[in-house]
Amino acid sequence: MEAHFEFDLPEWAAVTAILLLLLISVFFSLAETALIGASRPRMHALARTGNSRAQLVNRLRARQDELLSAILLGYNLVNIVASAIATGAMIKLFGQAGVAYAAVAMTLLVVIFGEVLPKTLALRRPDRLMLALAPTVRVTAAILSPVNRVVQFVVNRTLRLFGAHRAERGAGEHAAEELRGAI
Protein backbone atom coordinates (compact mmCIF):
# COMPACT_ATOMS: atom_id res chain seq x y z
CA MET A 1 0.00 0.00 0.00
CA GLU A 2 1.41 3.36 -1.02
CA ALA A 3 1.26 6.17 1.48
CA HIS A 4 0.08 9.48 0.09
CA PHE A 5 0.21 12.82 1.81
CA GLU A 6 -1.15 15.93 0.19
CA PHE A 7 0.07 19.28 1.34
CA ASP A 8 -2.74 21.66 0.47
CA LEU A 9 -1.88 25.09 1.82
CA PRO A 10 -3.70 28.06 0.24
CA GLU A 11 -1.38 30.23 -1.87
CA TRP A 12 -1.72 33.24 0.46
CA ALA A 13 -0.75 31.07 3.43
CA ALA A 14 2.22 29.59 1.58
CA VAL A 15 3.47 33.04 0.54
CA THR A 16 2.97 34.38 4.07
CA ALA A 17 4.81 31.42 5.60
CA ILE A 18 7.69 31.74 3.15
CA LEU A 19 8.05 35.47 3.82
CA LEU A 20 7.94 34.93 7.59
CA LEU A 21 10.55 32.17 7.34
CA LEU A 22 12.76 34.40 5.16
CA LEU A 23 12.55 37.13 7.81
CA ILE A 24 13.69 34.62 10.41
CA SER A 25 16.49 33.64 8.03
CA VAL A 26 17.52 37.32 7.89
CA PHE A 27 17.68 37.35 11.69
CA PHE A 28 19.99 34.31 11.75
CA SER A 29 22.30 35.77 9.09
CA LEU A 30 22.46 39.11 10.88
CA ALA A 31 23.17 37.38 14.20
CA GLU A 32 25.90 35.14 12.79
CA THR A 33 27.81 37.95 11.08
CA ALA A 34 27.30 40.46 13.90
CA LEU A 35 28.48 37.94 16.50
CA ILE A 36 31.69 37.32 14.60
CA GLY A 37 32.20 40.93 13.49
CA ALA A 38 31.39 42.86 16.67
CA SER A 39 34.39 44.55 18.25
CA ARG A 40 35.62 42.68 21.32
CA PRO A 41 37.42 45.72 22.76
CA ARG A 42 34.32 47.90 22.30
CA MET A 43 32.06 45.28 23.93
CA HIS A 44 34.47 44.98 26.87
CA ALA A 45 34.65 48.77 27.23
CA LEU A 46 30.85 49.10 27.12
CA ALA A 47 30.44 46.24 29.59
CA ARG A 48 32.82 47.96 32.02
CA THR A 49 30.61 51.06 31.92
CA GLY A 50 27.62 48.92 32.93
CA ASN A 51 26.01 48.34 29.52
CA SER A 52 23.95 45.21 30.16
CA ARG A 53 23.65 44.34 26.48
CA ALA A 54 27.42 44.46 26.04
CA GLN A 55 27.74 42.22 29.10
CA LEU A 56 25.29 39.82 27.44
CA VAL A 57 27.26 39.92 24.18
CA ASN A 58 30.41 39.00 26.12
CA ARG A 59 28.61 36.10 27.82
CA LEU A 60 27.31 34.91 24.45
CA ARG A 61 30.79 35.16 22.96
CA ALA A 62 32.13 32.93 25.72
CA ARG A 63 29.95 30.20 24.16
CA GLN A 64 30.59 31.26 20.54
CA ASP A 65 30.96 27.74 19.08
CA GLU A 66 27.72 26.58 20.67
CA LEU A 67 25.98 29.79 19.64
CA LEU A 68 27.14 29.64 16.02
CA SER A 69 25.99 26.05 15.84
CA ALA A 70 22.53 27.04 17.10
CA ILE A 71 22.37 29.95 14.64
CA LEU A 72 23.31 27.69 11.73
CA LEU A 73 20.82 25.06 12.86
CA GLY A 74 18.02 27.64 12.96
CA TYR A 75 19.10 29.19 9.66
CA ASN A 76 19.08 25.88 7.84
CA LEU A 77 15.83 24.76 9.45
CA VAL A 78 13.88 27.85 8.37
CA ASN A 79 15.33 27.81 4.85
CA ILE A 80 14.58 24.11 4.34
CA VAL A 81 11.01 24.52 5.62
CA ALA A 82 10.52 27.59 3.39
CA SER A 83 11.85 25.64 0.41
CA ALA A 84 9.58 22.68 1.17
CA ILE A 85 6.54 24.98 1.35
CA ALA A 86 7.56 26.70 -1.89
CA THR A 87 8.04 23.34 -3.60
CA GLY A 88 4.60 22.15 -2.52
CA ALA A 89 2.98 25.38 -3.72
CA MET A 90 4.83 25.33 -7.05
CA ILE A 91 3.96 21.68 -7.70
CA LYS A 92 0.33 22.56 -7.05
CA LEU A 93 0.53 25.40 -9.59
CA PHE A 94 2.85 23.94 -12.25
CA GLY A 95 2.98 20.19 -11.73
CA GLN A 96 6.36 18.48 -11.49
CA ALA A 97 8.08 21.45 -13.20
CA GLY A 98 7.26 23.34 -9.99
CA VAL A 99 10.15 21.55 -8.29
CA ALA A 100 12.62 23.32 -10.57
CA TYR A 101 10.78 26.65 -10.28
CA ALA A 102 10.80 26.43 -6.50
CA ALA A 103 14.52 25.52 -6.43
CA VAL A 104 15.43 28.53 -8.58
CA ALA A 105 13.11 30.95 -6.75
CA MET A 106 14.16 29.87 -3.27
CA THR A 107 17.85 29.86 -4.17
CA LEU A 108 17.57 33.46 -5.37
CA LEU A 109 15.46 34.56 -2.39
CA VAL A 110 17.68 32.86 0.19
CA VAL A 111 20.98 33.99 -1.34
CA ILE A 112 19.93 37.60 -1.89
CA PHE A 113 17.63 38.27 1.06
CA GLY A 114 18.66 35.56 3.51
CA GLU A 115 22.43 35.75 3.03
CA VAL A 116 24.04 38.58 1.08
CA LEU A 117 21.84 41.52 2.12
CA PRO A 118 21.74 40.83 5.88
CA LYS A 119 25.40 39.86 6.07
CA THR A 120 26.42 43.00 4.20
CA LEU A 121 24.35 45.07 6.63
CA ALA A 122 25.83 43.22 9.63
CA LEU A 123 29.37 43.80 8.35
CA ARG A 124 28.66 47.54 8.15
CA ARG A 125 27.21 47.79 11.68
CA PRO A 126 28.25 44.70 13.66
CA ASP A 127 28.45 46.35 17.11
CA ARG A 128 25.08 48.07 16.92
CA LEU A 129 23.36 44.97 15.52
CA MET A 130 24.89 42.57 18.03
CA LEU A 131 23.86 44.82 20.91
CA ALA A 132 20.31 44.95 19.50
CA LEU A 133 20.06 41.22 18.71
CA ALA A 134 21.78 39.80 21.81
CA PRO A 135 18.63 39.16 23.90
CA THR A 136 16.84 37.46 21.01
CA VAL A 137 19.95 35.44 20.14
CA ARG A 138 20.15 34.24 23.76
CA VAL A 139 16.48 33.11 23.75
CA THR A 140 16.80 31.49 20.32
CA ALA A 141 19.92 29.58 21.37
CA ALA A 142 18.11 28.37 24.49
CA ILE A 143 15.13 27.15 22.45
CA LEU A 144 17.38 25.34 19.98
CA SER A 145 19.74 23.97 22.66
CA PRO A 146 18.26 20.43 22.90
CA VAL A 147 18.66 19.82 19.17
CA ASN A 148 21.94 21.72 19.15
CA ARG A 149 23.37 19.42 21.82
CA VAL A 150 22.61 16.42 19.61
CA VAL A 151 24.22 18.15 16.62
CA GLN A 152 27.30 19.04 18.68
CA PHE A 153 27.55 15.46 19.94
CA VAL A 154 27.47 14.08 16.38
CA VAL A 155 29.98 16.69 15.17
CA ASN A 156 32.39 16.02 18.05
CA ARG A 157 32.15 12.24 17.57
CA THR A 158 32.74 12.63 13.83
CA LEU A 159 35.76 14.88 14.42
CA ARG A 160 37.12 12.35 16.91
CA LEU A 161 36.92 9.65 14.20
CA PHE A 162 39.22 11.78 12.06
CA GLY A 163 41.57 12.71 14.90
CA ALA A 164 40.52 16.35 14.92
CA HIS A 165 38.82 16.43 18.31
CA ARG A 166 41.29 18.81 19.98
CA ALA A 167 41.00 22.49 19.14
CA GLU A 168 44.13 24.24 17.92
CA ARG A 169 44.73 27.78 19.03
CA GLY A 170 44.33 30.00 16.01
CA ALA A 171 45.81 33.38 15.23
CA GLY A 172 42.53 35.05 16.25
CA GLU A 173 42.77 33.59 19.74
CA HIS A 174 46.37 34.74 20.11
CA ALA A 175 45.48 38.26 18.94
CA ALA A 176 42.49 38.46 21.28
CA GLU A 177 44.59 37.24 24.22
CA GLU A 178 47.31 39.80 23.45
CA LEU A 179 44.71 42.56 23.19
CA ARG A 180 43.16 41.60 26.53
CA GLY A 181 46.62 41.65 28.07
CA ALA A 182 47.28 45.13 26.69
CA ILE A 183 43.99 46.42 28.05
Side-chain angles (χ1 to χ4, degrees), residues 38-44 48 61 171-183:
S39 167
R40 288 182 190 273
R42 180 147 193 258
M43 291 302 128
H44 285 292
R48 276 191 302 220
R61 274 219 169 119
E173 287 177 292
H174 289 296
E177 194 171 285
E178 288 175 16
L179 183 58
R180 272 190 228 107
I183 296 173

Side-chain angles (χ1 to χ4, degrees), residues 16-89:
T16 302
I18 291 166
L19 290 176
L20 179 63
L21 291 165
L22 283 173
L23 283 174
I24 297 169
S25 179
V26 167
F27 161 75
F28 284 120
S29 287
L30 286 170
E32 175 191 15
T33 305
L35 178 68
I36 293 168
S39 167
R40 288 182 190 273
R42 180 147 193 258
M43 291 302 128
H44 285 292
L46 287 171
R48 276 191 302 220
T49 66
N51 185 312
S52 61
R53 292 219 178 186
Q55 292 167 355
L56 176 57
V57 170
N58 289 337
R59 286 193 308 272
L60 292 172
R61 274 219 169 119
R63 307 174 11 224
Q64 187 167 317
D65 287 348
E66 177 187 331
L67 204 58
L68 286 174
S69 178
I71 289 169
L72 291 173
L73 173 65
Y75 174 81
N76 281 290
L77 178 66
V78 297
N79 288 331
I80 289 168
V81 171
S83 295
I85 292 169
T87 301

Side-chain angles (χ1 to χ4, degrees), residues 15-172:
V15 169
T16 302
I18 291 166
L19 290 176
L20 179 63
L21 291 165
L22 283 173
L23 283 174
I24 297 169
S25 179
V26 167
F27 161 75
F28 284 120
S29 287
L30 286 170
E32 175 191 15
T33 305
L35 178 68
I36 293 168
S39 167
R40 288 182 190 273
R42 180 147 193 258
M43 291 302 128
H44 285 292
L46 287 171
R48 276 191 302 220
T49 66
N51 185 312
S52 61
R53 292 219 178 186
Q55 292 167 355
L56 176 57
V57 170
N58 289 337
R59 286 193 308 272
L60 292 172
R61 274 219 169 119
R63 307 174 11 224
Q64 187 167 317
D65 287 348
E66 177 187 331
L67 204 58
L68 286 174
S69 178
I71 289 169
L72 291 173
L73 173 65
Y75 174 81
N76 281 290
L77 178 66
V78 297
N79 288 331
I80 289 168
V81 171
S83 295
I85 292 169
T87 301
M90 294 296 231
I91 288 172
K92 186 176 169 185
L93 291 171
F94 301 106
Q96 289 304 306
V99 173
Y101 299 152
V104 169
M106 289 308 297
T107 298
L108 290 172
L109 288 171
V110 168
V111 167
I112 293 169
F113 297 106
E115 280 283 333
V116 176
L117 184 86
K119 288 186 178 190
T120 301
L121 176 62
L123 285 172
R124 292 181 181 175
R125 294 191 171 44
D127 294 344
R128 182 183 302 170
L129 277 168
M130 195 59 223
L131 289 168
L133 295 174
T136 309
V137 169
R138 179 186 58 195
V139 170
T140 303
I143 291 168
L144 293 173
S145 70
V147 177
N148 193 33
R149 279 191 214 110
V150 172
V151 170
Q152 287 296 305
F153 176 80
V154 171
V155 167
N156 289 332
R157 292 292 178 192
T158 304
L159 289 174
R160 188 170 291 207
L161 284 173
F162 295 102
H165 59 282
R166 290 191 180 93
E168 293 179 14
R169 290 173 49 104

